[in-house]
Every structure is written in C-alpha cells, then in structure tokens.
C-alpha cells in the first residue's frame, strides 16, 4: 500500500508540473493579455510604453523563461503578485478559500442526505412507479445547467414570491445592526438559493450510484440467505446491503475534493458570492496570470490528492483490495 501511494504521488507530481506548464502556455498564447485589457483605452500609451509595461509584468520574455520564473518562485512559496490589484496571490486565495470551502462542504453534505435515502429506496424497489419518477427527476436535475436553475430560482423566489434575496452573502445595509443570531440567519437566508442550485445540480451523481449499487447487491446470494433466515427487509438492508452499496459512494467523495476548495464558479458568479469561484472568474477574464496559475495549481494538486484518497478509502472499506 505504501509503495502504491508513493508511486501515485510521484506520478501526481509529474502530472501537476505538466498541467501547470500547459496552462501557462495557453495563458500566454491568448489573443489578448493583461496589458491590452487594462491599458489599451489609454490614448497616450505609445508602443514604447506598452513594451515597458510588458517587461514590467514579465510578458515579453519567452514562454519557457516565464514559466521557469514562476515555477521556481512557487517552489519557494512565492506565488507572485496579482496583476489586477498588486496584492499577494497567496493572501487573496487564503481570504476567499474559507467561504468557498464552507459552501461546497454544506452542499456536499446536503447532496448525500438527499441522494442516499432516495437511492436506497430506489434500489430496493427498482421497478416501482416512485422509483422511476425519482430517477426521471434526477436526470432532469442533472441535465439543467447551473445558471438556468439559479436564474429560475431567482425569478421565482426573488422576483415572484419576494421571500429570498437575489444575491450576495449578507444584507450589507442592516447586517452590522443585527444580533449574533440575526447575522447567522441573514447569511443562511442569502445562501439558501446558492445551496439549492448546488444540491439540485449535484445530488444526481450520488443517487444513481447508490441506486445501482443497492439494486445489484440485493440480488446477491447472501441477501437471499438473510431473508431465508427470517431477517426482516429493513434489517437485511441495514446490516448487509448498505455497507457494500455505499463503499463506492464513499470513495467517490474523494473525487469531490477539488470542488470543496475551488468553489462553484458559475453559482458564485450568478449570486455574486464572495468566494474563490467568483474571484477566479474575474481574474481569468482579466488575464491575471499569477492568480490564474496559482488557482489552477491548487485544482491540479487537489485532483491528484482526491484520486489518491479515493483509492485509499476504497482499500480501507474493502479489505479484498490490495495494491
């Protein structure tokens, strides 16, 4: 197991380096860069000044040289300074990360709370009308884009019923005058729609997995033996079916690691939430290379870590697996 993990980590490092170089290359090959987006509207900007600005931001050298400068700085823990506001990239990510992590973790827990009971019930009664209805609803929810679902909820609950806020994470005007409980309630009220969008879009993947696993396990011989011994259906499912059915689902949670830390870009942008997803979208549109590189590096590392974690969890929950 230790040898397997070591090989995966080594391979992951190679993958992360390759992905980061590819990302830097693509950013440098974009039709426009940060200088053009920020300063091209200035009338007194001469070609000499443009060239001086590109030298200042490190956009005039070769791609390989620029990448190596960023790479060796990254190894020292220096992710550079944001082109947009001159602040440390590491500080910007540290400020926005807790909000995105909390939002994504809450959404993941809610997704599992919805998907697991529905999936178990659907797997036991696979041919029932309720099970088929639940599956159709799940397919529809998975098919709807997040921006469509979010816009529909905003139209219904803000424009129509006028019971939920349109965007933001708190009431900027009255927030400082609220009590502690009032502030918490205000934040939860603002996050209700974004969480709903994330849950509607994401619970289906777990529902399908749980349902198919339960349906498959319920056909196994040891389930039939448990029934023949007089064990009730509820006890049979609880003691024998659930453990084997949920193992793949628990391991797939490791694959959700990148989304927990990166934020939901579309949802955060749609609801103007102060998270890492919205910030990364804004900086990507501005061609802010230092921030985009650090953000994508974070995603690459978390993806590799999530894959290794999934394998370890699968081995832990399934003793028959050996690496």
């Amino acid at each position: 197991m230790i040898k397997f993990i070591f090989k995966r980590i080594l391979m992951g490092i190679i993958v992360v380096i390759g992905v980061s170089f590819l990302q830097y290359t693509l950013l440098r090959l974009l039709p426009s860069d940060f200088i053009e987006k920020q300063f091209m509207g200035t009338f007194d900007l001469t070609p000499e000044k443009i060239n001086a600005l590109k030298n200042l931001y490190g956009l005039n050298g070769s791609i390989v040289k620029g990448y190596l400068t960023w790479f060796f700085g990254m190894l020292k823990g220096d992710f550079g300074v944001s082109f947009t506001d001159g602040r440390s990239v590491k500080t910007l990510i540290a400020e926005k990360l807790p909000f995105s992590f909390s939002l994504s973790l809450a959404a993941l827990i809610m997704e599992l709370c919805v998907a697991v009971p529905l999936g178990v019930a659907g797997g036991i009664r696979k041919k029932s009308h309720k099970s088929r209805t639940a599956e159709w609803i799940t397919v529809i929810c998975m098919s709807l884009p997040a921006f469509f679902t979010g816009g529909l909820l905003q139209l219904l609950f803000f424009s129509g019923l006028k019971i939920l806020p349109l965007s933001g994470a708190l009431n900027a005007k009255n927030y400082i005058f609220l009590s502690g409980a009032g502030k918490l309630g205000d934040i939860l009220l603002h996050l209700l729609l974004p969480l709903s969008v994330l849950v509607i879009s994401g619970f289906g993947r777990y529902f399908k997995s749980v349902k198919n696993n339960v349906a498959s396990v319920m056909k196994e011989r040891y389930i039939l033996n448990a029934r023949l011994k007089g064990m009730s259906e509820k006890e049979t499912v609880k003691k024998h079916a659930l453990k084997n059915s949920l193992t793949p689902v628990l391991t797939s949670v490791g694959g959700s690691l990148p989304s927990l830390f990166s934020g939901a870009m579309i949802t955060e942008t749609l609801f103007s939430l102060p998270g890492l997803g919205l910030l990364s979208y804004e900086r990507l549109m501005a061609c802010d290379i230092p921030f985009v590189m650090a953000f994508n590096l974070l995603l690459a590392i978390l993806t590799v870590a999530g894959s290794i974690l999934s394998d370890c969890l699968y081995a832990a929950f399934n003793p028959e697996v050996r690496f």
Side-chain angles (χ1 to χ4, degrees), residues 222-270:
Y222 61 85
I223 298 294
L224 177 60
N225 292 337
R227 288 170 174 168
L228 292 175
K229 292 178 180 178
M231 187 176 292
S232 65
E233 189 73 6
K234 183 178 180 180
E235 288 296 314
T236 302
V237 172
K238 184 178 179 181
K239 292 185 177 181
H240 296 285
L242 272 183
K243 181 179 179 181
N244 294 324
S245 301
L246 295 182
T247 298
V249 179
L250 292 174
T251 57
S252 68
V253 172
S256 303
L257 194 61
S259 63
L260 287 179
F261 289 91
S262 64
M265 182 180 292
I266 295 176
T267 304
E268 289 185 10
T269 303
L270 181 64

Side-chain angles (χ1 to χ4, degrees), residues 131-146 148-149 152 197 199-205 207-208:
S131 176
R132 290 175 179 173
T133 301
E135 187 163 1
W136 274 106
I137 293 174
T138 302
V139 171
I140 293 173
C141 290
M142 292 176 66
S143 303
L144 294 176
F148 176 82
T149 305
L152 192 63
V197 172
V199 172
I200 290 172
S201 303
F203 85 95
R205 53 185 171 176
F207 168 81
K208 296 283 289 183

Side-chain angles (χ1 to χ4, degrees), residues 18-320:
V19 168
S20 64
F21 178 72
L22 180 62
Q23 289 169 344
Y24 184 84
T25 302
L26 292 175
L27 286 171
R28 288 289 301 272
L29 292 177
L30 287 174
S32 62
D33 56 26
F34 177 77
I35 304 300
E36 292 181 2
K37 286 182 175 293
Q38 298 295 322
F39 300 104
M40 279 306 176
T42 306
F43 293 104
D44 62 345
L45 197 63
T46 63
E48 291 76 15
K49 290 182 179 180
I50 293 175
N51 190 58
L53 285 171
K54 289 193 174 184
N55 284 329
L56 178 65
Y57 287 99
L59 300 176
N60 255 355
S62 68
I63 292 176
V64 174
K65 181 180 178 181
Y67 173 76
L68 290 177
T69 301
W70 173 85
F71 181 77
F72 287 115
M74 179 269 298
L75 291 180
K76 298 175 183 177
D78 179 14
F79 293 94
V81 176
S82 171
F83 288 171
T84 307
D85 55 14
R87 298 183 62 194
S88 168
V89 170
K90 190 159 50 174
T91 301
L92 286 170
I93 292 178
E95 287 178 355
K96 301 295 183 180
L97 189 59
F99 179 88
S100 291
F101 177 79
S102 301
L103 181 68
S104 299
L105 181 61
L108 176 62
I109 294 172
M110 292 172 67
E111 288 170 16
L112 293 174
C113 289
V114 173
V116 172
L118 287 178
V120 171
I124 296 173
R125 302 174 182 84
K126 190 174 182 180
K127 297 183 179 180
S128 67
H129 293 295
K130 291 182 179 180
S131 176
R132 290 175 179 173
T133 301
E135 187 163 1
W136 274 106
I137 293 174
T138 302
V139 171
I140 293 173
C141 290
M142 292 176 66
S143 303
L144 294 176
F147 66 86
F148 176 82
T149 305
L152 192 63
L153 293 179
Q154 287 176 328
L155 183 65
L156 176 62
F157 291 100
F158 175 76
S159 302
L161 300 177
K162 301 183 185 303
I163 58 176
L164 290 176
L166 177 66
S167 60
L170 50 84
N171 188 337
K173 292 182 178 180
N174 303 323
Y175 183 78
I176 59 175
F177 300 108
L178 297 174
S179 63
K183 289 180 180 180
L184 179 60
D186 182 66
I187 294 174
L188 293 176
L189 194 66
H190 279 79
L191 295 183
L192 192 56
L193 287 183
L195 280 172
S196 299
V197 172
L198 293 174
V199 172
I200 290 172
S201 303
F203 85 95
R205 53 185 171 176
Y206 299 113
F207 168 81
K208 296 283 289 183
S209 179
V210 172
K211 180 181 177 182
N212 293 335
N213 291 335
V214 169
S216 176
V217 168
M218 293 302 290
K219 297 177 183 179
E220 296 293 334
R221 183 169 296 178
Y222 61 85
I223 298 294
L224 177 60
N225 292 337
R227 288 170 174 168
L228 292 175
K229 292 178 180 178
M231 187 176 292
S232 65
E233 189 73 6
K234 183 178 180 180
E235 288 296 314
T236 302
V237 172
K238 184 178 179 181
K239 292 185 177 181
H240 296 285
L242 272 183
K243 181 179 179 181
N244 294 324
S245 301
L246 295 182
T247 298
V249 179
L250 292 174
T251 57
S252 68
V253 172
S256 303
L257 194 61
S259 63
L260 287 179
F261 289 91
S262 64
M265 182 180 292
I266 295 176
T267 304
E268 289 185 10
T269 303
L270 181 64
F271 290 95
S272 301
L273 299 175
L276 200 53
L278 174 59
L279 183 63
S280 62
Y281 171 77
E282 293 172 345
R283 298 304 164 93
L284 179 61
M285 292 297 101
C287 292
D288 191 340
I289 291 179
F291 183 88
V292 175
M293 285 298 298
F295 178 74
N296 288 334
L297 179 69
L298 174 66
L299 291 186
I301 292 174
L302 290 173
T303 301
V304 171
S307 177
I308 296 174
L309 179 61
S310 296
D311 292 335
C312 293
L313 286 173
Y314 192 79
F317 283 98
N318 190 350
E320 295 181 358

